[in-house]
Amino acid sequence: MNKKQIKDIIEDAYDDVLNNLRVDKIKQYFDKTYMQTTDLKTSSYNEFVGHIKTLRRITTSISVPRFNEFIIDEDQGQVFLHYLVLITKKDGTKGTVEVFAVFTLRKDKIIRCEEITQTIDNEDLANMGCVNE
């Protein structure tokens, strides 16, 4: 994959899966062997799908308005991202979570994500980034 292909996959995955919580689109971007480690907790593909379903149930909106950093290593098929997630829960709670993430892609699919998150302005959102809720 070249840099443009990698960038397109990541941007489209964020738009469909995170910003719009389209569970039906996960298989388009994520390999069935996908593993995610968030704040030292590792989850499988199925657990990730469950996490997105939970976010659909408990939030009214999630958005990543832009990526602060977007660095692509074409040779390794990896992407480093730094961004803020703006969250509004159905109970009216609002907040921002900062994310530092490294994604690994193989054969047009995301196979791995390792990320560290921190709540910026609302401690009630501290576990929103964690897949294992």
Side-chain angles (χ1 to χ4, degrees):
M1 286 183 293
N2 63 39
K3 284 186 177 185
K4 182 183 180 337
Q5 292 168 315
I6 292 169
K7 185 174 189 286
D8 288 347
I9 290 168
I10 294 295
E11 287 179 340
D12 291 347
Y14 267 79
D15 188 46
D16 285 341
V17 178
L18 189 61
N19 288 335
N20 292 301
L21 300 174
R22 296 274 313 269
V23 174
D24 62 311
K25 292 285 193 170
I26 293 172
K27 64 185 173 198
Q28 180 177 334
Y29 305 106
F30 295 84
D31 191 84
K32 290 284 187 184
T33 65
Y34 176 73
M35 296 296 291
Q36 178 169 319
T37 301
T38 301
D39 301 329
L40 304 176
K41 296 177 184 175
T42 300
S43 301
S44 68
Y45 174 89
N46 289 333
E47 290 168 320
F48 174 70
V49 171
H51 174 62
I52 298 302
K53 288 179 179 178
T54 297
L55 292 176
R56 281 182 63 123
R57 186 172 38 80
I58 67 172
T59 65
T60 56
S61 72
I62 293 181
S63 71
V64 176
R66 68 181 180 88
F67 295 110
N68 297 354
E69 272 76 45
F70 196 121
I71 302 167
I72 299 171
D73 181 337
E74 184 177 354
D75 294 333
Q76 298 297 314
Q78 291 188 315
V79 177
F80 168 78
L81 299 174
H82 171 226
Y83 57 92
L84 299 177
V85 182
L86 309 177
I87 300 166
T88 303
K89 292 174 65 176
K90 288 186 177 176
D91 68 5
T93 304
K94 293 183 179 189
T96 306
V97 176
E98 183 175 31
V99 180
F100 297 88
V102 177
F103 287 89
T104 304
L105 294 87
R106 296 285 181 271
K107 299 179 184 176
D108 299 331
K109 298 273 187 169
I110 301 166
I111 63 166
R112 183 101 182 102
C113 174
E114 295 148 320
E115 64 184 5
I116 299 294
T117 66
Q118 67 178 350
T119 307
I120 299 296
D121 56 7
N122 188 331
E123 287 304 314
D124 290 337
L125 298 178
N127 290 324
M128 290 293 289
C130 297
V131 175
N132 295 326
E133 294 183 15

